Amino acid sequence: MTLPPWAPGATQTAVAALAVAAGQRARVMIIEDDVLVARSFQRNLPRDCDVTVHHDARDALEALLLGDTKVDLILCDLMMPGMSGQAFFEELSTLAAPLCSKFAFVPAAPSPRSHATSS
């Protein structure tokens, strides 16, 4: 799998465009097992968007499939315990294909602090 390069500010620009297109606050779901990394992603999003964070891909999938969470953008880590980001995307494409157009992988290295506290 080849991922496009990431540019600083690209996520903020994409979220701002989504909000304008939707005519409302952008709704973003972050799927990231590392709490500190998820917080970092959340802090880098525009303040005027609604953010839902899931630290488990299966929980996020369930929320999306049950319709509990409406989203304009899904930001998902690749390497997670349990269900990987790639497995999440494959399930999503099978069970709720229209949501795949709102999906972006955001691979991240684990933060040293969270790694140290998990042992």
Side-chain angles (χ1 to χ4, degrees):
M1 174 184 330
T2 304
L3 301 174
W6 178 83
T11 303
Q12 290 178 328
T13 303
V15 171
L18 286 170
V20 169
Q24 61 189 17
R25 293 169 60 97
R27 300 163 297 185
V28 179
M29 175 182 280
I30 298 171
I31 307 166
E32 168 60 63
D33 61 302
D34 186 313
V35 174
L36 297 176
V37 173
R39 269 193 218 134
S40 176
F41 284 144
Q42 190 169 3
R43 278 194 308 268
N44 284 291
L45 292 171
R47 292 179 186 217
D48 62 342
C49 63
D50 295 323
V51 180
T52 304
V53 178
H54 287 273
H55 300 293
D56 180 276
R58 291 186 196 284
D59 291 343
L61 185 62
E62 184 177 328
L64 289 167
L65 295 177
L66 292 175
D68 292 345
T69 305
K70 303 290 185 211
V71 295
D72 298 305
L73 179 64
I74 302 167
L75 301 175
C76 183
D77 188 16
L78 276 169
M79 302 295 291
M80 296 181 285
M83 177 183 267
S84 70
Q86 185 174 354
F88 175 87
F89 183 79
E90 289 168 1
E91 284 289 315
L92 192 66
S93 65
T94 300
L95 302 172
L99 290 175
C100 291
S101 66
K102 301 175 181 194
F103 192 93
F105 284 113
V106 284
S111 61
R113 248 181 42 182
S114 67
H115 215 31
T117 58
S118 64
S119 351

